[in-house]
Amino acid sequence: MKLIISTTSPYSRKCRVMVHELGLADEVEELESHPFDDDPALIQANPLGRVPCLVLDDGQAFTESALIADYLCERAGEPWPRDWTDRRLEALGNGLLDLTVARRVEMVRDEGIQSDFWIQRRERGIMRAIDEIETLIGHLDAPLAQGPLTMAVALSYMDFRYPESDWRSGRPHLAALLEAWEARPSFKATPPPADS
Ligand SMILES: N[C@@H](CCC(=O)N[C@@H](CS)C(=O)NCC(=O)O)C(=O)O
């Protein structure tokens, strides 16, 4: 299988971490792509032109990190717990990723066309979401699962793109969750590049 990724993409990172954690590294070859360069290999695999994209040996392509994550888990024999709490957490984590990436896209626009309305709106959504997740995660007893991983990836992306954010303050469960993931070899092997 080939996993087309970008090293700055948090959606890609989730899939990359899972490949490590699920013991699939020997079966998955990573191919780096830069989606904003309209890389022909990426577009051929994924007409949406987005990473990540998993291409099976028979040519079938899986787009969307959540779908890829489910496929990888099935392929590894479903070793991770999966219940509705985990799925709810994953959905909130995916939404958080969408908001943080959308805010980033807005912030790197040229100054004249940046929208303060959208930046502030994304910011409020991010803060409401992490407050809700802080409450949900307090009852979590299985941090090795898709929901917590999605959250950890989103929080790490916030540190990467918004180092000035003090999201840890008043959110000890989230801070502990990210710390636990950051200690794992799978996370250590997949950091975003320091210079981008
Ligand atoms: N919902 C998608 C989002 C993927 C996504 O937006 N990836 C970004 C990189 S972080 C991308 O490829 N953007 C290029 C574009 O939107 O044209 C997923 O979960 O895989």
Side-chain angles (χ1 to χ4, degrees), residues 105-129:
V105 167
E106 196 59 48
M107 285 176 84
V108 296
R109 280 177 197 257
D110 293 338
E111 236 172 64
I113 56 169
Q114 251 182 24
S115 163
D116 200 46
F117 169 82
W118 282 113
I119 293 173
Q120 297 305 328
R121 186 173 168 79
R122 303 306 188 204
E123 180 67 27
R124 289 194 303 275
I126 289 167
M127 290 305 154
R128 284 194 307 264

Short mmCIF file of all heavy atoms in Angstrom, two decimals, residues 105-129:
data_model
loop_
_atom_site.label_atom_id
_atom_site.label_comp_id
_atom_site.label_asym_id
_atom_site.label_seq_id
_atom_site.Cartn_x
_atom_site.Cartn_y
_atom_site.Cartn_z
N VAL A 105 -5.47 28.68 7.06
CA VAL A 105 -5.61 29.09 5.65
C VAL A 105 -5.99 30.57 5.59
O VAL A 105 -5.45 31.34 4.79
CB VAL A 105 -6.67 28.22 4.94
CG1 VAL A 105 -7.08 28.80 3.59
CG2 VAL A 105 -6.15 26.79 4.76
N GLU A 106 -6.90 31.00 6.48
CA GLU A 106 -7.32 32.40 6.49
C GLU A 106 -6.16 33.32 6.89
O GLU A 106 -5.98 34.40 6.33
CB GLU A 106 -8.49 32.55 7.47
CG GLU A 106 -9.28 33.83 7.33
CD GLU A 106 -9.90 34.03 5.95
OE1 GLU A 106 -10.53 33.10 5.44
OE2 GLU A 106 -9.72 35.13 5.39
N MET A 107 -5.36 32.84 7.84
CA MET A 107 -4.30 33.71 8.36
C MET A 107 -3.14 33.88 7.39
O MET A 107 -2.41 34.87 7.49
CB MET A 107 -3.79 33.18 9.71
CG MET A 107 -4.79 33.47 10.81
SD MET A 107 -4.30 32.77 12.38
CE MET A 107 -3.21 34.01 12.99
N VAL A 108 -2.95 32.92 6.48
CA VAL A 108 -1.82 33.07 5.55
C VAL A 108 -2.24 33.77 4.25
O VAL A 108 -1.44 33.92 3.34
CB VAL A 108 -1.10 31.73 5.24
CG1 VAL A 108 -0.47 31.16 6.49
CG2 VAL A 108 -2.04 30.72 4.61
N ARG A 109 -3.51 34.18 4.15
CA ARG A 109 -3.90 34.99 3.00
C ARG A 109 -3.20 36.35 3.06
O ARG A 109 -2.81 36.79 4.13
CB ARG A 109 -5.41 35.29 3.06
CG ARG A 109 -6.28 34.17 2.59
CD ARG A 109 -7.71 34.61 2.80
NE ARG A 109 -8.59 33.48 2.76
CZ ARG A 109 -9.36 33.18 1.71
NH1 ARG A 109 -9.35 33.96 0.65
NH2 ARG A 109 -10.13 32.14 1.75
N ASP A 110 -3.13 37.01 1.89
CA ASP A 110 -2.54 38.36 1.90
C ASP A 110 -3.35 39.25 2.83
O ASP A 110 -4.59 39.09 2.94
CB ASP A 110 -2.57 38.95 0.47
CG ASP A 110 -1.64 38.16 -0.43
OD1 ASP A 110 -0.73 37.51 0.11
OD2 ASP A 110 -1.86 38.18 -1.65
N GLU A 111 -2.68 40.19 3.46
CA GLU A 111 -3.32 40.99 4.49
C GLU A 111 -4.63 41.64 4.03
O GLU A 111 -5.63 41.61 4.74
CB GLU A 111 -2.36 42.07 4.99
CG GLU A 111 -2.16 41.98 6.49
CD GLU A 111 -1.08 42.89 6.98
OE1 GLU A 111 -1.25 44.11 6.84
OE2 GLU A 111 -0.06 42.36 7.48
N GLY A 112 -4.63 42.17 2.84
CA GLY A 112 -5.82 42.88 2.35
C GLY A 112 -7.06 42.02 2.23
O GLY A 112 -8.19 42.52 2.32
N ILE A 113 -6.87 40.71 2.01
CA ILE A 113 -8.06 39.87 1.81
C ILE A 113 -8.32 38.91 2.97
O ILE A 113 -9.21 38.08 2.92
CB ILE A 113 -7.97 39.07 0.47
CG1 ILE A 113 -6.69 38.24 0.42
CG2 ILE A 113 -8.08 39.99 -0.73
CD1 ILE A 113 -6.65 37.25 -0.72
N GLN A 114 -7.53 39.07 4.03
CA GLN A 114 -7.79 38.28 5.24
C GLN A 114 -9.12 38.70 5.85
O GLN A 114 -9.44 39.88 5.83
CB GLN A 114 -6.72 38.59 6.27
CG GLN A 114 -5.75 37.49 6.49
CD GLN A 114 -4.74 37.88 7.57
OE1 GLN A 114 -5.02 38.72 8.42
NE2 GLN A 114 -3.59 37.27 7.49
N SER A 115 -9.85 37.74 6.40
CA SER A 115 -11.11 38.10 7.04
C SER A 115 -11.01 37.91 8.56
O SER A 115 -10.92 36.78 9.04
CB SER A 115 -12.25 37.23 6.48
OG SER A 115 -13.35 37.31 7.35
N ASP A 116 -11.06 39.01 9.25
CA ASP A 116 -11.01 38.93 10.70
C ASP A 116 -12.25 38.19 11.23
O ASP A 116 -12.19 37.45 12.21
CB ASP A 116 -10.93 40.34 11.29
CG ASP A 116 -10.40 40.30 12.71
OD1 ASP A 116 -9.39 39.60 12.92
OD2 ASP A 116 -11.02 40.92 13.59
N PHE A 117 -13.37 38.38 10.54
CA PHE A 117 -14.61 37.70 10.93
C PHE A 117 -14.39 36.19 10.98
O PHE A 117 -14.72 35.52 11.96
CB PHE A 117 -15.73 38.04 9.93
CG PHE A 117 -16.95 37.18 10.10
CD1 PHE A 117 -17.90 37.48 11.07
CD2 PHE A 117 -17.15 36.05 9.30
CE1 PHE A 117 -19.03 36.67 11.25
CE2 PHE A 117 -18.27 35.24 9.47
CZ PHE A 117 -19.21 35.56 10.45
N TRP A 118 -13.80 35.63 9.90
CA TRP A 118 -13.62 34.18 9.84
C TRP A 118 -12.57 33.70 10.83
O TRP A 118 -12.71 32.65 11.44
CB TRP A 118 -13.28 33.72 8.42
CG TRP A 118 -14.51 33.69 7.56
CD1 TRP A 118 -14.79 34.48 6.49
CD2 TRP A 118 -15.65 32.83 7.72
NE1 TRP A 118 -16.02 34.19 5.98
CE2 TRP A 118 -16.57 33.16 6.71
CE3 TRP A 118 -15.99 31.81 8.62
CZ2 TRP A 118 -17.81 32.52 6.57
CZ3 TRP A 118 -17.22 31.16 8.47
CH2 TRP A 118 -18.11 31.51 7.47
N ILE A 119 -11.49 34.49 11.00
CA ILE A 119 -10.44 34.08 11.96
C ILE A 119 -11.04 34.01 13.36
O ILE A 119 -10.88 33.02 14.08
CB ILE A 119 -9.24 35.06 11.91
CG1 ILE A 119 -8.53 34.94 10.56
CG2 ILE A 119 -8.25 34.76 13.05
CD1 ILE A 119 -7.43 35.96 10.32
N GLN A 120 -11.80 35.04 13.74
CA GLN A 120 -12.40 35.07 15.09
C GLN A 120 -13.43 33.95 15.26
O GLN A 120 -13.54 33.33 16.31
CB GLN A 120 -13.08 36.42 15.36
CG GLN A 120 -12.15 37.62 15.34
CD GLN A 120 -10.98 37.46 16.31
OE1 GLN A 120 -11.11 36.84 17.36
NE2 GLN A 120 -9.83 37.97 15.92
N ARG A 121 -14.21 33.73 14.19
CA ARG A 121 -15.24 32.69 14.26
C ARG A 121 -14.60 31.31 14.45
O ARG A 121 -15.05 30.50 15.26
CB ARG A 121 -16.10 32.72 12.99
CG ARG A 121 -17.27 31.78 13.06
CD ARG A 121 -18.23 31.93 11.89
NE ARG A 121 -19.15 30.80 11.90
CZ ARG A 121 -20.19 30.71 12.71
NH1 ARG A 121 -20.49 31.67 13.54
NH2 ARG A 121 -20.96 29.62 12.69
N ARG A 122 -13.55 31.03 13.68
CA ARG A 122 -12.83 29.75 13.85
C ARG A 122 -12.27 29.65 15.27
O ARG A 122 -12.35 28.60 15.91
CB ARG A 122 -11.66 29.65 12.88
CG ARG A 122 -11.97 29.77 11.40
CD ARG A 122 -13.01 28.83 10.94
NE ARG A 122 -13.15 28.86 9.50
CZ ARG A 122 -14.23 28.51 8.83
NH1 ARG A 122 -15.31 28.13 9.49
NH2 ARG A 122 -14.27 28.54 7.53
N GLU A 123 -11.69 30.74 15.74
CA GLU A 123 -11.07 30.75 17.06
C GLU A 123 -12.10 30.41 18.16
O GLU A 123 -11.84 29.59 19.04
CB GLU A 123 -10.47 32.15 17.29
CG GLU A 123 -9.78 32.36 18.62
CD GLU A 123 -8.52 31.54 18.76
OE1 GLU A 123 -7.89 31.22 17.75
OE2 GLU A 123 -8.19 31.19 19.91
N ARG A 124 -13.29 31.03 18.05
CA ARG A 124 -14.31 30.75 19.07
C ARG A 124 -14.74 29.28 19.02
O ARG A 124 -14.92 28.63 20.05
CB ARG A 124 -15.53 31.67 18.87
CG ARG A 124 -15.27 33.13 19.22
CD ARG A 124 -16.58 33.90 19.33
NE ARG A 124 -17.41 33.86 18.13
CZ ARG A 124 -17.28 34.69 17.09
NH1 ARG A 124 -16.34 35.63 17.10
NH2 ARG A 124 -18.07 34.59 16.04
N GLY A 125 -14.88 28.76 17.81
CA GLY A 125 -15.26 27.35 17.66
C GLY A 125 -14.21 26.42 18.25
O GLY A 125 -14.53 25.44 18.94
N ILE A 126 -12.95 26.75 18.02
CA ILE A 126 -11.84 25.93 18.54
C ILE A 126 -11.91 25.91 20.07
O ILE A 126 -11.83 24.84 20.70
CB ILE A 126 -10.48 26.50 18.06
CG1 ILE A 126 -10.30 26.23 16.56
CG2 ILE A 126 -9.33 25.93 18.86
CD1 ILE A 126 -9.17 27.02 15.91
N MET A 127 -12.08 27.07 20.67
CA MET A 127 -12.08 27.14 22.14
C MET A 127 -13.30 26.41 22.73
O MET A 127 -13.17 25.68 23.72
CB MET A 127 -12.04 28.60 22.61
CG MET A 127 -10.71 29.25 22.34
SD MET A 127 -9.34 28.29 23.10
CE MET A 127 -7.97 28.72 22.07
N ARG A 128 -14.46 26.56 22.10
CA ARG A 128 -15.65 25.83 22.60
C ARG A 128 -15.43 24.32 22.48
O ARG A 128 -15.76 23.56 23.38
CB ARG A 128 -16.89 26.24 21.81
CG ARG A 128 -17.46 27.60 22.15
CD ARG A 128 -18.86 27.75 21.57
NE ARG A 128 -18.91 27.46 20.14
CZ ARG A 128 -18.84 28.39 19.19
NH1 ARG A 128 -18.72 29.67 19.49
NH2 ARG A 128 -18.91 28.05 17.91
N ALA A 129 -14.85 23.91 21.36
CA ALA A 129 -14.65 22.46 21.13
C ALA A 129 -13.68 21.88 22.15
O ALA A 129 -13.93 20.81 22.72
CB ALA A 129 -14.14 22.22 19.71
#
